[in-house]
Amino acid sequence: MVGALLAGEILSLYLLCVQEMQRAELRRQLLQAQSRALSECLASLRGSTIARCHRLRVAVR
C-alpha cells in the first residue's frame, strides 16, 4: 500500500516537472521570436527605434 502511494507521488512529481520544462521551453521560444522580430524591425525600418518597433509589435497583435 505504501509502495503504491510512493509510486503515485513519484509519478506526479515527474509529470509536474515535465510540464514545467515544456512551459519553460515555450517561454524560451517566445522570447527568441520576440527578439528576432525586434531585430528585423530595427534592420528593416529606416530610422527605427526600439520604442517604435515595440509600438508596431503591439499594434500588430
Side-chain angles (χ1 to χ4, degrees):
M1 182 69 174
V2 173
L5 289 174
L6 183 58
E9 287 186 16
I10 290 172
L11 179 61
S12 296
L13 181 59
Y14 171 78
L15 293 174
L16 178 64
C17 289
V18 168
Q19 182 182 29
E20 289 302 313
M21 289 172 58
Q22 289 172 341
R23 286 181 179 175
E25 177 63 19
L26 288 174
R27 283 191 304 269
R28 184 187 68 78
Q29 290 175 358
L30 176 63
L31 288 173
Q32 281 183 336
Q34 289 174 341
S35 177
R36 198 169 33 252
L38 178 62
S39 295
E40 289 174 7
C41 176
L42 290 171
S44 65
L45 295 177
R46 185 173 170 197
S48 63
T49 64
I50 291 173
R52 182 173 180 213
C53 287
H54 178 70
R55 282 192 304 273
L56 290 173
R57 182 178 62 91
V58 170
V60 171
R61 284 188 189 174

